[in-house]
Amino acid sequence: MRLCKPRVVSLIVFTAVIGMFLAVPDLPPARAVLFGSLGIALVAAAAAAVNCLIERKIDAKMARTRARPLPTGLVTPGQTLAFALVLGSIGLLSLYAEVNPLTMWLTLATFLGYAVIYTVILKPLTPQNIVIGGLAGAMPPVLGWSAVTGEVSSDALLLLLIIFAWTPPHFWALALYRKQDYAKAGIPMLPVTHGEHFTCLHVLLYTVILTAVSLMPFISGMSGALYVACALALDGVFLHYAVGLYRDFSPRLAARTFRYSILYLALLFGALLVDHYFRF
């Protein structure tokens, strides 16, 4: 379970399920929801295990990750690889056989984007790793949408865009209060390469972008007044944190911003779902 990063996977599945419900005017087919959620969860868990495998030496150097199963020797690299292969294979086969081929291929591409392109190539190479690699992390609602409809629409891409814009301020807030860990591990996160003030500025700028993007479902007609009211309230709090970081940085405030960013995404997508069925 610890190899699978269950808290991360739960947020992935949550946004994927929201995508399933938003894809249709009524309730989505139970079969698509059940097997779509299962398949996406298993492949996401496999990607998390592969991430732990690739970064086991880095994890051993960081306080946040040194207690993970691989650095502590609870499991071996071979066991982890076998575990990930089994999970990922079952997940992909479930999606192909019980949902549709498009969702399987999109999920496989998401797996490769996170486990290979982001973890192996981007993360150790550039401080913009989160921005470029954020596309893989933004895919879950698109996967959920395609699981129900068999296609990817412009509304599904709006959901992707929200998570894509949310990812930089979310992860940079984490990197700000874990700066020493990343520096010790040799990972070129933005606070390590460009300093705290520069990173806080970018957290603020991307939060402004996120605010604009979060209003696009209302502008496009995908959502109504209930959603936009919730979005504005949530954006206001996020902007308050981002401005506070820029004006007077502290690791404690960065940690609070990171925790709020998780709540923000959950509540924002929850508001999309409630608005979908109780449109003002």
Side-chain angles (χ1 to χ4, degrees):
M1 285 297 293
R2 289 167 64 191
L3 282 173
C4 295
K5 302 182 182 180
R7 287 185 294 180
V8 176
V9 171
S10 64
L11 189 60
I12 289 171
V13 174
F14 173 73
T15 56
V17 170
I18 298 296
M20 295 176 189
F21 279 83
L22 294 180
V24 290
D26 298 313
L27 294 176
R31 188 182 189 88
V33 174
L34 175 62
F35 285 101
S37 301
L38 176 64
I40 292 167
L42 289 174
V43 177
V50 171
N51 174 266
C52 288
L53 175 63
I54 295 170
E55 297 191 337
R56 62 190 184 277
K57 293 181 180 179
I58 293 174
D59 287 347
K61 299 176 182 178
M62 300 176 65
R64 183 174 66 92
T65 56
R66 65 175 56 143
R68 285 178 176 173
L70 279 160
T72 56
L74 292 175
V75 294
T76 67
Q79 290 171 333
T80 303
L81 180 60
F83 177 64
L85 286 172
V86 170
L87 281 186
S89 297
I90 294 174
L92 291 172
L93 287 172
S94 298
L95 292 173
Y96 185 85
E98 303 294 340
V99 183
N100 58 62
L102 175 62
T103 304
M104 187 276 287
W105 288 114
L106 288 174
T107 305
L108 176 60
T110 302
F111 172 88
L112 294 174
Y114 174 73
V116 179
I117 297 175
Y118 169 70
T119 303
V120 177
I121 301 173
L122 294 174
K123 193 170 182 179
L125 183 66
T126 170
Q128 293 298 315
N129 46 35
I130 289 301
V131 179
I132 304 169
L135 183 60
M139 281 294 290
V142 176
L143 304 180
W145 194 288
S146 69
V148 171
T149 65
E151 62 181 18
V152 176
S153 73
S154 58
D155 285 342
L157 295 178
L158 278 183
L159 301 178
L160 178 149
L161 192 59
I162 289 173
I163 302 180
F164 184 73
W166 166 86
T167 301
H170 164 71
F171 273 103
W172 282 335
L174 170 66
L176 279 165
Y177 80 92
R178 293 291 188 180
K179 175 184 174 181
Q180 298 306 319
D181 266 358
Y182 285 111
K184 185 177 179 181
I187 300 175
M189 295 298 285
L190 200 62
V192 177
T193 60
H194 290 73
E196 293 162 352
H197 184 72
F198 185 85
T199 305
C200 289
L201 173 61
H202 278 68
V203 168
L204 176 57
L205 292 175
Y206 273 92
T207 305
V208 172
I209 293 171
L210 173 61
T211 298
V213 170
S214 70
L215 302 180
M216 292 178 69
F218 175 73
I219 296 170
S220 71
M222 178 183 176
S223 63
L226 176 62
Y227 166 75
V228 77
C230 293
L232 287 171
L234 292 167
D235 288 330
V237 176
F238 210 153
L239 285 167
H240 172 74
Y241 277 113
V243 170
L245 273 177
Y246 179 68
R247 287 180 173 175
D248 187 19
F249 167 76
S250 72
R252 184 177 180 182
L253 182 56
R256 290 174 59 192
T257 304
F258 171 74
R259 288 192 291 269
Y260 174 74
S261 69
I262 300 172
L263 179 65
Y264 169 92
L265 190 66
L267 292 179
L268 190 74
F269 271 72
L272 277 167
L273 180 62
V274 173
D275 178 271
H276 182 66
Y277 288 106
F278 299 95
R279 180 70 58 84
F280 273 52

